[in-house]
Amino acid sequence: MAERERLLRRGVHLEYATVGWNVVEGVIAVSAGLIASSVALIGFGVDSFVETTSAVVVGWRLRAESLGHADEERAELLERRAGRIAGALLLALAAYIVADAGRRLLGFGAEARESVVGIALTAVSLAVMPILGWAKLRTASDLKSGALRADAYETIACAWLSLATVTGLALNALF
């Protein structure tokens, strides 16, 4: 049981790190995106807040078990609920990006300008997110936690989004 407690604490700490990073990342990305009229950067920032919410929910679930506030049945209920919330948040982000991109394709909205802050932020995120995602994935596997696994994949998807965003921002700045 001591090993599970250690893994639960590691999972909670990984979620704290996710929340801390993503709040900062989200505020900077949305601010820089609004200044540059960049749907990509705003979407990236919104994704940070989606990921923050998911990390809070999954961290809550792991913390409840680690503090003994959840018996096996309650822990399983929290696990399913946290997994559903994480999935729903990912779908909400996809809907936002599709709607905003469609709006801009139809000619509504300003043309995006370059954002050095956005390029730097997404480049740092591209370095941070894979490390965090893989650490969560290993911990999820050891804990057999579907909710933490879903959250880990959301973090890994953020790394891919970082790559796509930094590439788009860099190309926009070049051309």
Side-chain angles (χ1 to χ4, degrees):
M1 198 47 107
E3 176 64 11
R4 182 156 183 89
E5 290 300 318
R6 186 184 68 73
L7 290 169
L8 287 167
R9 277 193 309 277
R10 181 173 37 167
V12 169
H13 286 106
L14 288 168
E15 296 301 1
Y16 286 159
T18 301
V19 169
W21 171 257
N22 278 301
V23 166
V24 171
E25 180 184 77
V27 168
I28 294 171
V30 169
S31 299
L34 290 170
I35 291 167
S37 295
S38 171
V39 68
L41 203 45
I42 294 169
F44 183 77
V46 170
D47 173 65
S48 298
F49 296 124
V50 168
E51 194 170 343
T52 297
T53 306
S54 177
V56 166
V57 169
V58 174
W60 163 68
R61 175 266 179 266
L62 296 174
R63 192 163 190 276
E65 183 180 344
S66 74
L67 294 175
H69 296 160
D71 57 20
E72 195 171 319
E73 186 177 316
R74 175 110 172 106
E76 185 59 34
L77 174 68
L78 292 173
E79 178 80 19
R80 284 193 308 274
R81 185 175 296 153
R84 282 194 301 271
I85 291 170
L89 290 169
L90 219 56
L91 288 174
L93 172 65
Y96 164 77
I97 291 173
V98 167
D100 200 49
R103 178 180 70 87
R104 292 188 185 243
L105 281 173
L106 293 173
F108 301 103
E111 186 176 318
R113 294 177 301 280
E114 71 179 82
S115 174
V116 175
V117 170
I119 292 169
L121 177 68
T122 53
V124 171
S125 182
L126 184 56
V128 169
M129 298 317 277
I131 295 166
L132 190 55
W134 289 111
K136 286 184 191 182
L137 204 53
R138 280 191 305 276
T139 305
S141 177
D142 292 343
L143 282 171
K144 296 175 181 33
S145 171
L148 184 56
R149 184 177 54 249
D151 189 59
Y153 283 127
E154 191 168 337
T155 302
I156 292 166
C158 181
W160 285 106
L161 182 59
S162 299
L163 177 62
T165 305
V166 76
T167 301
L169 294 173
L171 289 172
N172 186 55
L174 286 172
F175 301 107

